[in-house]
Amino acid sequence: ISLETESRIIYQIQCKLEGYDVRYEIWKVHGLYAECIIFANEDVSVLDDNKLERLVRNSAWNKEGSAITISRSAESTFVLFNFV
């Protein structure tokens, strides 16, 4: 996964979220920390951004009121949340 120059992954683990194989990561981006759940595009091709957001909001990782951003690359879908 290509990250911006000022970004780095400080923790990562393979796990499952609601039956989906995902990678959970904690990133440091421009001095902020964010959590990220990464899905393979083929696994979530039928889910739009609203459904992905609900999936993450309902997870044990999400803190109430967290902003959520979603981006997609050629192979992966990234859901970032819990910015501090």
Side-chain angles (χ1 to χ4, degrees), residues 19-71:
Y20 294 99
D21 291 319
V22 300
R23 189 163 63 234
Y24 168 81
E25 297 180 342
I26 299 175
W27 293 6
K28 185 173 184 183
V29 183
H30 300 290
L32 297 174
Y33 291 91
E35 296 176 51
C36 182
I37 297 175
I38 304 168
F39 299 88
N41 282 346
E42 66 250 15
D43 291 344
V44 294
S45 62
V46 297
L47 300 180
D48 63 18
D49 286 357
N50 289 329
K51 289 179 182 173
L52 280 169
E53 182 174 335
R54 278 196 306 272
L55 188 65
V56 172
R57 284 206 186 279
N58 291 330
S59 75
W61 293 308
N62 184 59
K63 295 177 184 157
E64 188 174 337
S66 170
I68 292 181
T69 63
I70 299 170
S71 63

